[in-house]
Amino acid sequence: MQQERTVSPADPFPMVVVEHLVKRFGSFNALSDVNLKVAKGEKIVLCGPSGSGKSTLIRCINHIEKHDSGRIVVDGTELTDRICDVNNVRSEVGMVFQSFNLFPHLSVLENCMLAPMKVRGLAESEAHQRSMALLRKVRIHDQANKYPAQLSGGQQQRVAIARALCMQPKIMLFDEPTSALDPEMVKEVLETIVELAQDGMTMVCVTHEMGFAREVADRVVFMDRGSIVEEGDPSTFFRAPNTERAKAFLNQIIH
Amino acid sequence: MFTVLLEKTVDGQRYIDWLVSGLGWTLALAFFGWWIAIAIGVVVGIGRTVQNPFFRALARLYVEIFRNIPVLVQMFLWYFVLPELLPTTMGDWIKQIPPPWGTFFPALWCLGLYTAARIAEQVRAGIEALPRGQDEAAAALGLSGYLTYRHIILPQALRLIVPSLTSEVMGIYKNTSVALTIGLMELTAQARQISDATFQTFAAFGAATLIYLALALIAYQTMMLIDKAVRIPGTAPGREAGGSDFDDVKLESSLPNGMEVVK
């Protein structure tokens, strides 16, 4: 079966293991029996029509949504309802949201420094140093003392990426990171993510930017109606998708 | 017409001194009551929004009780009823607190707890007005519930409700006049006393009215200054601060994108 063949090469310690995951919203099955393994250093692009469960899947991975059944293991820690497990996992998993979700009352620098200081217990000087280094990496260090509302959408999203990186996560989750951006700002954010990918960061990215998917993804996972329909390496997937649903989807987004 | 205020009273003071003394009690009641109200109001307001159903119910109970009983009735409850409900020795001890403290403290509690219930509702509304994404972003960074409230939710929610707290500030000092019913000689009580002694009703209550109006103006201006001082840079004045900007961004630009995908 397609799914079996393309699961990444046997890795004794995958970064993320998702097994038989089920998530319901009321009577709606957002995810039904989803299985996914993400190896260390692997870059996965999740795509699919809206409502297919891709966002729900990555939101389950750091327990922003609680799953109803199945298992999620992140870097060896199984996500249960125990609050310390959840917070431990979350601090190892970086997440970037569609709508940035920066803290508007904190400066760019404070946005980055807060969690390292309060969750990791870093000294202020150390947190400052780390934040500035990562803001430089996303090329926004000259705006460090501004507030989110004073930045453009693209700049805000790059700050959000830096903020997530400040926790030195083992994996980064991107939930449609460019969907809320004006077209001219999409590129600067994608470039930042590409650089991150080149540094070897493990990532799962929900996106419809197919050019980006081709460039960075090791594997494209196509979801529809709450399950994984097809997965494969990007060149195969985009050239010759196996399933009708994937073909129909690609026809709609590639003109 | 206010010249009567400068006349000597039977006790050798001038009537205006009575007014000033009343003003002092009014201010003390409003000022200290306000801090009680803020402290309890914030805690109860948070309690209204936490996950734990027990604390939520407790906070709800507090608000429903203290907000829905007329403040005059609450005044009587604290002053007349409470000492009777307590064990006799304690009740007697309370009744023997010398004036004016024997009436000041019940009035202070009454106004503080009543206003706290109203502030709690404002705090709850402020917290609920924040975008869900703020909670999620904090959670995604590994912040615990306490840290999220302390560093993310409260600083934004409290900024958001400064304008609506203005009316609570005005409310508490206007409600101080209810304390006259249990015998505290605050501003309104003093005005009535002057009116009774001089039969210059218009002058007595006119002066009190002007003082109340001046206080309202001061309270309003102070709250405006606070609102301005805590405003988040980059957010436009008059707009509700906080995450609303993000919602705009999302609404404006995600819709066309989403539609592209669907088409």
Side-chain angles (χ1 to χ4, degrees), chain B residues 76-247:
Chain B
F76 288 164
L77 288 176
W78 285 109
Y79 185 66
F80 295 115
V81 180
L82 180 75
E84 306 302 329
L85 291 179
L86 293 172
T88 322
T89 46
M90 217 187 206
D92 287 345
W93 180 78
I94 288 179
K95 287 180 206 163
Q96 280 160 17
I97 298 175
W101 305 108
T103 50
F104 178 76
F105 284 115
L108 183 67
W109 270 123
C110 171
L111 290 176
L113 297 184
Y114 169 75
T115 311
R118 301 178 52 96
I119 290 178
E121 284 303 275
Q122 310 271 10
V123 170
R124 178 180 68 89
I127 290 173
E128 286 175 353
L130 297 179
R132 284 289 309 149
Q134 293 291 304
D135 274 316
E136 290 176 359
L141 286 166
L143 266 67
S144 65
Y146 166 75
L147 287 173
T148 304
Y149 269 98
R150 163 80 182 73
H151 294 286
I152 309 300
I153 306 290
L154 274 185
Q156 292 186 62
L158 291 181
R159 278 184 172 89
L160 216 56
I161 63 171
V162 170
S164 49
L165 282 186
T166 308
S167 55
E168 298 307 326
V169 176
M170 295 176 165
I172 194 169
Y173 92 83
K174 283 185 286 189
N175 283 335
T176 55
S177 60
V178 177
L180 89 86
T181 58
I182 59 170
L184 185 71
M185 293 308 286
E186 44 66 67
L187 190 53
T188 307
Q190 292 288 10
R192 201 174 63 168
Q193 199 180 10
I194 295 171
S195 155
D196 287 350
T198 64
F199 301 105
Q200 302 276 339
T201 309
F202 185 81
F205 284 104
T209 303
L210 289 181
I211 294 174
Y212 278 120
L213 281 177
L215 289 182
L217 217 63
I218 292 169
Y220 179 75
Q221 288 297 333
T222 309
M223 292 303 278
M224 293 286 278
L225 284 177
I226 292 174
D227 189 35
K228 211 167 160 187
V230 300
R231 184 169 296 146
I232 299 163
T235 56
R239 276 178 79 177
E240 301 236 305
S244 57
D245 281 9
F246 295 150
D247 286 348

Side-chain angles (χ1 to χ4, degrees), chain A residues 59 102 104-105 156 179-180, chain B residues 134 136 139 151 232 246 253 257:
Chain A
R59 287 160 65 86
L102 292 179
H105 62 299
Q156 289 192 44
S179 305
Chain B
Q134 293 291 304
E136 290 176 359
H151 294 286
I232 299 163
F246 295 150
S253 47
N257 277 349

Side-chain angles (χ1 to χ4, degrees), chain A residues 56-103:
Chain A
T56 307
L57 174 57
I58 68 168
R59 287 160 65 86
C60 281
I61 293 177
N62 68 355
H63 217 248
I64 284 180
E65 303 286 357
K66 292 185 179 70
H67 54 282
D68 292 305
S69 66
R71 284 176 80 221
I72 300 175
V73 183
V74 179
D75 196 33
T77 310
E78 177 161 1
L79 277 178
T80 59
D81 277 331
R82 284 182 47 219
I83 200 76
C84 62
D85 288 345
V86 171
N87 280 340
N88 281 344
V89 164
R90 282 172 174 167
S91 61
E92 304 297 334
V93 177
M95 178 130 184
V96 174
F97 298 86
Q98 179 178 6
S99 46
F100 329 135
N101 294 351
L102 292 179
F103 306 130

